[in-house]
Amino acid sequence: MSDRVVGVVMNGVTGRMGYRQHLVRSVLAINEQGGVTLSDGSRVSLRPVLVGRDLRRVGDVADRHGIADYTTDLDDALADPDNTIYFDAQVTQARVAATLKAIELGRHVYTEKPTAETVADAVRLAEAAAEAGVKNGVVQDKLYLQGLLKLKRLIDGGFFGRILSVRGEFGYWVFEGDWQPAQRPSWNYRVEDGGGIVLDMFPHWAYVLENLFGRVESVYAHVSTHIPERWDERGQVYKATADDAAYGVFEIEGGVVAQINSSWTVRVNRDELVEFQVDGTHGSAVAGLRNCRIQHRGSTPRPIWNPDVPVTESFRDQWQEVPDNTEFENGFKFQWEMFIRHVLEDAPFPHTFAAGARGVQLAELALRSHAEGRRLPVEEL
């Protein structure tokens, strides 16, 4: 049994990410394990208070999981002094205003990324949280994927020698919605509703590159809307005004060059939905969601280009799988536990609103890079 209960206002849990990853697989999973263990051995459980725009939908989620507290009144939920943490997984357009309300009431704040649609608003949130003295954090789940944790282990162990380059491939085919339902909500494809793959994914690439390889110093991006017409949840055709693919080149301190393709209009011919290949002077690795494969320079084959001779061996078979060597937590749940410890005992938590603002900055610069057709420096915020 836990020694303490903390109220957590959760806004946006009827959405896919808010419901599955944050409510079910994080907050409720934490309670099922008996709470978060603090450094003194005590345990803290979480009392979710669900907030949504549609009382029926949010009530259905509450009933499904036996949650007593749910409402459409965010102000009322935030006014309760026992609700010390506010979490936001709404559409990005609604995030800034709601999070500022929570900050003004002295609530500690944790949000999905991106923290805002613009750098100005992202910095505004970071400054407001700092001035109010509240703990703040943004979800940076990719850092806690099994594959990237293995990759980080290789980097820390000096496996690569000098890292030269990073190649990232992310994406899958999202159905247009006419002959098969789309796997993503229609607002993702309307720029006027805060949609677009750059704003969705470049904040991810910002913290992945920053935490694994170093500060991003410049960005060049080409952005496309490959499919200009889609069908929404009601079967109505609409104009897709937001980008559905982006092709980025990032220069990182120390001379590392990263190339990352992000697309909702690509059919998958790789082992996982996201993969990063890292090449260094002493070895290379390919890391995905769960797996990581390596090839050391001592076992690197000697390919010779000859289009007149058929390939007789599998290049994939020349790579070695990195073992788990540990048990890996769900990345979302692990970061929730980190944030709870940060709030309650000031444990370290590097994924602050300032880090979130750097992610929004990279997305904004990428869109500007495309519009201006040139490489842009990434200045210190």
Side-chain angles (χ1 to χ4, degrees), residues 91-93 117 186-196 199 241:
V91 295
T92 309
Q93 282 188 329
E117 291 184 283
S186 59
W187 71 264
N188 282 175
Y189 301 93
R190 292 189 292 265
V191 69
E192 60 271 23
D193 292 334
L199 187 59
T241 55

Side-chain angles (χ1 to χ4, degrees), residues 141-334:
D141 58 288
K142 300 289 184 291
L143 293 175
Y144 302 101
L145 293 171
Q146 294 182 24
L148 290 194
L149 287 171
K150 294 174 184 178
L151 181 61
K152 181 67 162 60
R153 187 197 306 162
L154 293 171
I155 294 170
D156 292 344
F159 169 81
F160 295 100
R162 182 168 61 88
I163 294 177
L164 308 174
S165 63
V166 182
R167 292 173 176 83
E169 288 285 345
F170 164 80
Y172 48 94
W173 189 270
V174 177
F175 288 104
E176 299 89 330
D178 51 351
W179 72 288
Q180 287 202 49
Q183 309 98 295
R184 299 186 67 87
S186 59
W187 71 264
N188 282 175
Y189 301 93
R190 292 189 292 265
V191 69
E192 60 271 23
D193 292 334
I197 200 165
V198 170
L199 187 59
D200 188 58
M201 296 308 302
F202 275 48
H204 281 304
W205 308 149
Y207 69 72
V208 167
L209 295 174
E210 178 182 292
N211 282 275
L212 293 182
F213 308 106
R215 195 180 78 82
V216 179
E217 295 183 333
S218 76
V219 58
Y220 170 77
H222 179 82
V223 177
S224 296
T225 304
H226 288 309
I227 298 180
E229 190 174 80
R230 292 179 178 269
W231 283 257
D232 64 18
E233 293 79 2
R234 299 171 299 169
Q236 301 296 311
V237 66
Y238 68 95
K239 183 179 180 181
T241 55
D243 41 281
D244 55 22
Y247 312 91
V249 178
F250 311 88
E251 290 181 296
I252 301 169
E253 61 182 338
V256 178
V257 177
Q259 307 169 65
I260 303 180
N261 296 327
S262 312
S263 178
W264 291 321
T265 58
V266 62
R267 293 178 177 90
V268 181
N269 184 19
R270 62 190 106 90
D271 292 336
E272 302 192 66
L273 294 184
V274 62
E275 288 187 343
F276 297 92
Q277 177 164 334
V278 180
D279 291 302
T281 54
H282 291 179
S284 297
V286 177
L289 295 167
R290 304 180 67 85
N291 301 317
C292 184
R293 304 185 306 278
I294 56 174
Q295 188 173 93
H296 191 261
R297 66 175 176 173
S299 58
T300 300
R302 188 184 181 87
I304 297 175
W305 172 256
N306 188 346
D308 300 321
V309 178
V311 175
T312 59
E313 56 187 327
S314 169
F315 292 116
R316 289 180 184 271
D317 291 344
Q318 297 165 350
W319 294 67
Q320 177 185 357
E321 197 74 32
V322 175
D324 289 350
N325 286 355
T326 188
E327 290 188 16
F328 295 98
E329 287 266 21
N330 172 278
F332 289 90
K333 174 174 167 286
F334 183 81

Side-chain angles (χ1 to χ4, degrees), residues 63-93:
D63 291 343
R64 192 180 313 150
H65 297 283
I67 297 170
D69 299 319
Y70 62 94
T71 181
T72 58
D73 190 336
L74 176 61
D75 292 336
D76 185 58
L78 290 174
D80 186 342
D82 290 332
N83 297 334
T84 58
I85 295 174
Y86 172 70
F87 172 71
D88 194 298
Q90 300 180 93
V91 295
T92 309
Q93 282 188 329

